[in-house]
Amino acid sequence: MSNVKTAVIYYSSGGTNYQLAQWAAEGAKQAGSEVKVLKVAETAPQAAIDSNPAWKANHEATKDVPEATLADLEWADAIIFSIPTRFGNMPVQMKQFLDLTGGLWFQGKLANKVVSAMSSAQNPHGGQEATILSLYTTMYHWGAIVATPGFTDPSIFAAGGNPYGTSVTVGQDGKMVEDVQAAVVHQAKRTVTVADWVKKGLNGNN
């Protein structure tokens, strides 16, 4: 790898997407990438967090995870996002972070970033695909290169067969229904690999 730098940026209230982000980081490291795992800033009031035991526990458990900044986006060659669905769309916390990227976009500093996304919901058709696609819409405006997993590995079928990005169902007990770890690792490796191709091409190292 030509020193590909990967930012895994997530939002998680119950912990699922934090776990997906950690698996993605593992896959990116296995592909030889330097990796940062970053959360977007929480915007919900503390009273709302405290009213949900799982949310409160995850908020406390991840208090030391660094918050994503615009500098992290500029630093990264590859960016992997992991977010829960909110009525088939991305959470407001991630939307707010993306809405702050206009300056970088205007300067052309987000063009040619290689990006990929993952999601979760409480039932198999709870909006995971629409959530991932809603996030990719922003990426198209950036001029980023979207590296979906497609059906490039058997692990994707085993994880439920989402070609846009790994997605998982979370049961009422807060646990993942499908076994998606291998699919997440594959998606991360693929994202880093594509970023390596792009970086070499941009540097004229064909």
Side-chain angles (χ1 to χ4, degrees):
M1 293 293 166
S2 56
N3 301 313
V4 171
K5 299 184 289 291
T6 302
V8 182
I9 301 177
Y10 78 93
Y11 174 72
S12 186
S13 54
T16 299
N17 285 276
Y18 176 52
Q19 179 63 75
L20 296 178
Q22 290 178 304
W23 287 336
E26 289 175 14
K29 289 175 183 175
Q30 288 174 24
S33 181
E34 180 182 352
V35 182
K36 293 181 181 180
V37 175
L38 306 157
K39 64 187 178 186
V40 294
E42 181 60 81
T43 60
Q46 190 64 43
I49 297 170
D50 291 344
S51 70
N52 183 314
W55 193 353
K56 183 178 181 180
N58 180 66
H59 186 69
E60 181 65 23
T62 60
K63 64 182 180 181
D64 294 329
V65 177
E67 288 188 358
T69 67
L70 297 181
D72 294 315
L73 293 179
E74 190 170 356
W75 168 85
D77 303 301
I79 307 167
I80 301 169
F81 295 95
S82 191
I83 50 175
T85 185
R86 294 291 184 266
F87 302 107
N89 213 317
M90 73 179 83
V92 67
Q93 291 85 351
M94 182 62 72
K95 182 67 165 61
Q96 175 169 287
F97 176 67
L98 296 179
D99 283 348
L100 297 174
T101 62
L104 286 180
W105 163 81
F106 185 75
Q107 298 172 62
K109 292 183 176 180
L110 298 174
N112 302 318
K113 302 290 186 183
V114 175
V115 301
S116 201
M118 307 177 291
S119 189
S120 65
Q122 287 193 336
N123 54 71
H125 300 286
Q128 296 102 318
E129 292 182 4
T131 297
I132 290 171
L133 293 174
S134 76
L135 193 146
Y136 286 160
T137 298
T138 299
M139 306 299 106
Y140 300 142
H141 283 256
W142 283 5
I145 297 165
V146 177
T148 67
F151 295 106
T152 55
D153 189 79
S155 63
I156 295 158
F157 293 95
N162 187 342
Y164 309 115
T166 307
S167 63
V168 68
T169 311
V170 182
Q172 293 297 321
D173 58 0
K175 296 179 180 179
M176 299 187 205
V177 174
E178 300 88 5
D179 183 2
V180 300
Q181 182 173 0
V184 171
V185 168
H186 170 75
Q187 182 174 347
K189 287 181 176 179
R190 175 172 164 80
T191 305
V192 170
T193 298
V194 174
D196 184 54
W197 296 340
V198 171
K199 194 168 185 178
K200 285 177 177 176
L202 289 173
N203 292 333
N205 299 323
N206 294 328

